[in-house]
Amino acid sequence: MTYDIRLIAPSGYPHDVPAVRRGVERLEAAGHRLSGLDVLDRRQLRFAGTDAERAGDLNALVDGPLPDVVLAIRGGYGVHPLLPLLDYEGLRRLATAPVALIGHSDFTALQCALLARSGVVTLGGPMLASDFGASRLDALTWDHVWHVLASDQAEVAWESPGTPAVAVEGTIWGGNLAMLTSLAGSPYFPEVDGGILYIEDVAEPPYRVERMLYHLIHAGVLTRQKALVLGDFTSYRVAEYDNGYDLPLAFDRVAAAAGIPFVAGLPFGHGPTKVTLPFGSAGRLEVSGGRARLVFAGHPRPKTP
């Protein structure tokens, strides 16, 4: 199945030009029709255009024909200044339209705002440059996103050794931990009770990860969830001063304080392999015998040709 894909650049500009070129070529070779290519050439400081230009890419979805997929080109930083500039009332049309907005990293901030202010469910998944344009295209990343877009019900399964049995249902949501924490308590943060929260991050040392998770506890967010699913936490370092304190210990400490199951091993984050997951739709998490399974439905899907 092929799709009309519109590129958006809500964050940083694409500094890796060969990766962008590979991503475009791979998507077009697969039969997809790309628009919004002009955003690839925009530069303003470290951003892919001015705040007004980048917000305009999103507000352009309010009127006129919609693509099947809206794909972020990369993350970095840049979404936060756009949040007050978005037409949330107009963007409510995306809540019922057959269009999927996909991205991760800084894109998580946009996902939070769209669900909180417009009721729009989005997808955490691959982006143009880092994933579709990788020097070596990851097969699971490529296959899973198209599986999710084409399926009424989708799932992901992974190994999570040592995890006690879990069987919970709730709203699946999450993404980059730093982005989630930065918006907690703001009008752009969704109120999700009894959810299944998934998180990931990059280059954050264990104490900072623990501090961010404690912030979600203190803000009353984490303790209201039914489970926390741990994705990839990559490119971090521990110091001599940590004295044996590492990321697994940090998670153990927070899990004891939160009082909810923590399930590790989800292939999602800043690594080369990532599944595509909903932000705001219903699902079920099951863990048995050290193997986890997340099943979901009601996620955004393009129309069937």
Side-chain angles (χ1 to χ4, degrees):
M1 191 174 298
T2 59
Y3 301 108
D4 291 319
I5 300 175
R6 183 179 302 172
L7 302 179
I8 59 170
S11 304
Y13 70 83
H15 61 290
D16 190 340
V17 175
V20 168
R21 187 178 301 116
R22 283 192 298 267
V24 169
E25 290 173 351
R26 283 172 177 153
L27 290 171
E28 290 182 337
H32 304 296
R33 300 162 294 279
L34 271 60
S35 62
L37 293 167
D38 58 298
V39 305
L40 301 176
D41 298 321
R42 290 192 322 219
R43 304 282 190 279
Q44 205 274 335
L45 300 176
R46 62 176 291 129
F47 309 110
T50 66
D51 293 352
E53 286 175 323
R54 290 178 290 120
D57 296 339
L58 295 159
N59 288 334
L61 301 172
V62 170
D63 299 307
L66 290 171
D68 300 314
V69 174
V70 177
L71 179 69
I73 62 169
R74 61 154 296 166
Y77 166 72
V79 168
H80 277 67
L82 310 186
L83 299 183
L85 307 179
L86 299 182
D87 180 358
Y88 293 105
E89 187 59 38
L91 289 168
R92 286 182 182 276
R93 74 178 295 211
L94 303 181
T96 55
V99 57
L101 281 72
I102 308 176
H104 68 278
S105 188
D106 194 53
F107 189 78
T108 302
L110 178 61
Q111 295 181 281
C112 284
L114 286 176
L115 185 61
R117 300 289 296 273
S118 303
V120 176
V121 177
T122 54
L123 293 172
M127 296 189 288
L128 177 72
S130 58
D131 300 299
F132 294 133
S135 56
R136 178 183 176 275
L137 181 63
D138 184 83
L140 176 61
T141 301
W142 178 267
D143 292 341
H144 195 255
V145 66
W146 309 125
H147 162 68
V148 170
L149 291 175
S151 305
D152 290 327
Q153 177 175 292
E155 67 175 80
V156 57
W158 69 95
E159 300 297 324
S160 187
T163 304
V166 176
V168 295
E169 296 182 352
T171 299
I172 301 174
W173 67 299
N176 182 259
L177 177 59
M179 294 301 100
L180 293 166
T181 306
S182 69
L183 290 178
S186 78
Y188 306 111
F189 192 77
E191 295 290 332
V192 179
D193 293 320
I196 299 168
L197 176 62
Y198 60 90
I199 59 171
E200 60 83 23
D201 221 314
V202 59
E204 294 285 3
Y207 80 91
R208 288 175 59 94
V209 172
E210 178 173 320
R211 183 168 64 197
M212 288 188 282
L213 288 171
Y214 263 103
H215 177 74
L216 294 182
I217 289 177
H218 299 329
V221 175
L222 191 53
T223 50
R224 298 203 315 269
Q225 308 308 307
K226 291 184 177 177
L228 181 70
V229 183
L230 305 176
D232 295 329
F233 283 76
T234 54
S235 302
Y236 72 89
R237 296 180 179 179
V238 294
E240 182 179 355
Y241 184 82
D242 287 312
N243 194 34
Y245 169 77
D246 58 11
L247 198 53
L249 280 174
F251 286 137
D252 287 345
R253 286 165 50 85
V254 180
I260 63 173
F262 278 33
V263 180
L266 176 71
F268 179 82
H270 280 71
T273 301
K274 61 179 58 64
V275 294
T276 297
L277 300 169
F279 189 111
S281 64
R284 178 176 177 82
L285 172 67
E286 300 174 346
V287 182
S288 179
R291 186 163 179 81
R293 180 171 175 257
L294 190 60
V295 182
F296 52 90
H299 54 281
R301 288 190 57 211
K303 60 184 180 298
T304 302

